[in-house]
Amino acid sequence: MYALRQGQENFTNPVTQSPLIDSSIIRAAGQIYYTYCEVHPEIAGQPSGVAINRGNHRGKVIFTQQPVLLPQECFVPLNQIESHMY
């Protein structure tokens, strides 16, 4: 039990960190997000961002605060997408 607690204390949340993300990935995430908004205008939830594959730029809009990512994916928060568009 102590080892489990110790491991959690050393855990850093990758979503709260602000890693440098390639601008092409941010643009692709913005396209995914805005296409999703156009196709699904009836969805009322507030998304937290987009999980996107670094290699082929395919992704999904994410609604949870702590997404589970595959090794080749990165998470682009919604505020970073919006700030890059303006």
Side-chain angles (χ1 to χ4, degrees):
M1 182 65 125
Y2 176 74
L4 180 63
R5 286 186 188 160
Q6 185 179 14
Q8 289 176 347
E9 290 172 359
N10 295 331
F11 177 74
T12 57
N13 188 352
V15 175
T16 58
Q17 296 174 353
S18 60
L20 297 176
I21 300 175
D22 187 19
S23 62
S24 64
I25 292 177
I26 297 172
R27 277 193 301 275
Q31 287 295 323
I32 292 166
Y33 171 68
Y34 288 112
T35 301
Y36 180 85
C37 290
E38 288 177 357
V39 173
H40 301 287
E42 73 281 356
I43 302 296
Q46 177 65 26
S48 59
V50 174
I52 188 165
N53 185 305
R54 289 185 210 103
N56 60 15
H57 291 184
R58 294 180 69 183
K60 296 180 182 179
V61 177
I62 303 294
F63 289 88
T64 61
Q65 293 302 319
Q66 293 185 342
V68 177
L69 302 173
L70 296 172
Q72 66 274 16
E73 291 180 328
C74 66
F75 181 75
V76 182
L78 187 60
N79 60 2
Q80 193 168 13
I81 293 170
E82 290 175 340
S83 67
H84 192 268
M85 291 299 198
Y86 298 113

